[in-house]
Amino acid sequence: MQQAEHCLTVGATLGEGPIWVDDALWFVDIKQQRIYRHDPAAGTLDHWASPEMVGWIVPAQRGGFVAGLKSGPHHFDPATGGFERLAEVDTHLPANRLNDACVDGQGRIWFGTMDNDETSLSGRLFQWAAGLVTPTNADAVCITNGPAISPDDSTLYHVDTLGKVILAHPILGDGTLGPSTEFARFGDADGHPDGAICDAEGGVWVGFFGGWAARRYGPDGVLTDEVRFPVSNITKIALGGPDGRTAYATTARQGLSEEQLAEQVQAGDIFTFRVEVPAKPVHRAAI
């Protein structure tokens, strides 16, 4: 069983959304409203303040990024630190925020919402395409995570964190989702499945909040790899580096007691490990 190594001191309250873009690792701290860029070659760590809680960041075709702020997707320009609203989401649900996202080969963004208090079943899965936000037919849950898209754009994996299950939806030709099937279900000892990504062979990597681990499942749902961490709350991984085989994991301090934080001094930091199957291409949002 592989052990993750400490990579970068951040101390994030809720580190999330790591993605490898242009030879750098980008990620967010949702609760501290920050966007980070880490250049491993230079050893630098830069950050920008967000005007709202920011759940994710994905690269945009026009340059810059689309960031999932609490109120909806915004274009983010690192050169200026500015944000431009692209759409509003869940304006009738003030306790909701955006939580996780991915981009498919057509440049569509698939993202989820959730109740920031983690109590109401108000989380939905949405698609952003051609400037429009459309709810999908995936069931409402409290905390959405993932989604992750298979390399051939045929399958979307949707994580129901509190339900402790990953569902697989076929992506139909018109961009809608077909009925879901159960991809993987977890027990109490596993912790809660959090962010998910797909690699170049269609394997699904998922971090486990409260589970001290990240795991890879093959396209058939069979566990293939497990990586253990010295901290409990693993939120999501990104695959990057020169060969696409270096994994970077975000972690969180949220939910840990003072005693637990004293024992997990690296909680909220970035960790790294090597993988056999490289990353699939990172697509840019069609904007």
Side-chain angles (χ1 to χ4, degrees):
M1 186 180 299
Q2 194 173 356
Q3 300 289 326
E5 298 179 358
H6 187 263
C7 173
L8 187 66
T9 299
V10 180
T13 301
L14 186 53
E16 257 290 5
I19 189 168
W20 183 263
V21 179
D22 297 334
D23 300 320
L25 178 73
W26 293 79
F27 60 98
V28 303
D29 183 344
I30 297 175
K31 299 295 186 173
Q32 295 299 320
Q33 299 180 196
R34 284 188 173 185
I35 295 172
Y36 287 91
R37 178 187 184 272
H38 170 53
D39 182 340
T44 56
L45 178 66
D46 302 307
H47 70 268
W48 295 259
S50 169
E52 303 171 9
M53 285 186 288
V54 52
W56 47 265
I57 182 170
V58 296
Q61 292 178 8
R62 82 183 208 195
F65 293 82
V66 179
L69 271 59
K70 180 180 184 296
S71 60
H74 286 60
H75 182 261
F76 165 62
D77 183 356
T80 65
F83 293 82
E84 172 194 350
R85 187 188 305 278
L86 301 174
E88 290 185 319
V89 180
D90 285 351
T91 55
H92 63 298
L93 296 170
N96 267 24
R97 63 171 175 82
L98 276 59
N99 193 51
D100 204 356
C102 66
V103 181
D104 66 18
Q106 296 186 43
R108 299 173 297 201
I109 304 175
W110 301 82
F111 68 91
T113 59
M114 62 168 284
D115 173 24
N116 191 51
D117 296 326
E118 302 181 7
T119 57
S120 299
L121 296 177
S122 58
R124 295 295 303 272
L125 185 66
F126 292 85
Q127 180 194 103
W128 184 92
L132 298 176
V133 172
T134 306
T136 71
N137 60 352
D139 291 341
V141 299
C142 183
I143 301 177
T144 62
N145 258 301
I149 304 286
S150 63
D152 62 1
D153 278 353
S154 67
T155 305
L156 178 144
Y157 298 95
H158 179 216
V159 182
D160 176 357
T161 293
L162 294 190
K164 298 186 178 181
V165 63
I166 301 176
L167 302 173
H169 291 264
I171 301 176
L172 306 181
D174 61 358
T176 61
L177 298 179
S180 67
T181 57
E182 188 173 297
F183 176 74
R185 182 172 291 276
F186 310 101
D188 290 343
D190 296 311
H192 290 86
D194 206 306
I197 63 166
C198 287
D199 61 25
E201 292 183 357
V204 178
W205 278 98
V206 59
F208 285 84
F209 200 96
W212 304 82
R215 300 188 182 103
R216 180 187 185 272
Y217 296 84
D220 56 1
V222 174
L223 177 66
T224 63
D225 300 86
E226 181 173 20
V227 181
R228 303 296 295 180
F229 288 72
V231 296
S232 59
N233 296 336
I234 318 308
T235 54
K236 191 173 183 178
I237 75 162
L239 300 179
D243 61 359
R245 289 183 168 87
T246 298
Y248 296 94
T250 48
T251 66
R253 296 169 62 87
Q254 179 172 294
L256 298 179
S257 66
E258 291 187 8
E259 181 179 2
Q260 289 171 321
L261 287 171
E263 295 171 347
Q264 301 178 42
V265 294
Q266 296 172 327
D269 291 353
I270 302 296
F271 291 80
T272 187
F273 56 93
R274 293 285 290 171
V275 300
E276 293 185 5
V277 181
K280 72 183 186 77
V282 173
H283 300 298
R284 295 178 183 266
I287 175 179

